[in-house]
């Protein structure tokens, strides 16, 4: 039932006034119920959003931990790759070695074996069974530089006046 308009200065019956009050009371009650339903819906949506945010946060935390572990693994592998694949000489750590005809030499680390053959020497030099012919002419001998990696085995049939091992320099990358 709609509101009944009461003209200014007129006398309204108690029934008309009561009907208007009842109409307003019903409208207030229905608006309050609609508002409470909307608030409940909003609160339910907020709870759902919070639940999804928590799930996403947990998933993201797990993914970040996995990513961090993966990055750390690749960092370690990259450092190992650089260490095992570079042959920059560390001249400050050069040592004299016993390497001459009939003696094998096993490299203890990555680096270089430097050999000065005796003058007028001819023979073979072998690295892990791969043989190369060496010839020193006349009164001078040229320095022979042989890059090696750890556990390579060298042998020769020539006389050497001097032999040295120069290890590879340790490659260090700051904050890597």
């Amino acid at each position: 039932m709609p509101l009944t308009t009461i003209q200014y200065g007129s006398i309204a019956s108690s029934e008309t006034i009561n009907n208007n009050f009842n109409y307003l009371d019903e409208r207030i009650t229905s608006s309050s119920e609609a508002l409470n339903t909307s608030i409940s819906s909003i609160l339910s949506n907020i709870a759902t959003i919070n639940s999804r945010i928590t799930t996403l946060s947990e998933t993201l935390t797990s993914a970040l931990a996995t990513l961090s572990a993966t990055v750390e693994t690749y960092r370690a592998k990259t450092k190992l790759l650089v260490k095992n694949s570079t042959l920059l000489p560390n001249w400050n750590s050069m040592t004299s070695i016993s390497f001459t005809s009939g003696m094998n030499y096993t490299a203890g680390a990555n680096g270089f074996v430097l050999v000065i053959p005796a003058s007028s020497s001819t023979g073979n030099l072998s690295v892990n069974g791969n043989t190369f012919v060496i010839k020193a002419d006349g009164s001078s001998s040229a320095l022979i530089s042989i890059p090696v990696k750890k556990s390579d085995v060298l042998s020769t049939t020539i006389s050497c006046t001097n032999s040295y091992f120069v290890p590879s320099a340790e490659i260090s990358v700051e904050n890597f």
Side-chain angles (χ1 to χ4, degrees), residues 27-68:
R27 293 287 293 195
I28 290 170
T29 301
S30 113
S31 293
S32 176
E33 288 172 359
L35 184 60
N36 284 337
T37 301
S38 293
I39 289 172
S40 292
S41 176
I42 289 170
L43 291 175
S44 174
N45 288 341
I46 288 172
T48 301
I49 290 170
N50 282 338
S51 173
R52 288 183 182 165
I53 286 174
T54 299
T55 301
L56 285 173
S57 176
E58 290 168 356
T59 302
L60 184 59
T61 299
S62 174
L64 285 174
T66 301
L67 180 62
S68 180

Side-chain angles (χ1 to χ4, degrees), residues 10-21:
S10 67
I11 297 177
S13 71
S14 59
E15 181 184 358
T16 302
I17 291 174
N18 285 337
N19 286 341
N20 281 347
F21 282 132

Side-chain angles (χ1 to χ4, degrees), residues 94-171:
M94 183 174 74
T95 57
S96 181
I97 60 172
S98 294
F99 180 61
T100 191
S101 181
M103 297 183 69
N104 287 347
Y105 174 76
T106 302
N110 292 351
F112 300 87
V113 172
L114 306 177
V115 176
I116 302 173
S119 45
S120 299
S121 292
T122 301
N124 296 324
L125 185 125
S126 182
V127 179
N128 295 333
N130 297 300
T131 303
F132 308 92
V133 176
I134 302 295
K135 182 177 181 183
D137 292 327
S139 61
S140 67
S141 297
L143 174 69
I144 301 170
S145 175
I146 308 155
V148 294
K149 68 179 184 177
K150 184 177 183 177
S151 301
D152 280 350
V153 178
L154 287 78
S155 62
T156 188
T157 61
I158 62 172
S159 294
C160 301
T161 58
N162 291 308
S163 302
Y164 304 94
F165 177 72
V166 180
S168 294
E170 289 289 324
I171 304 300

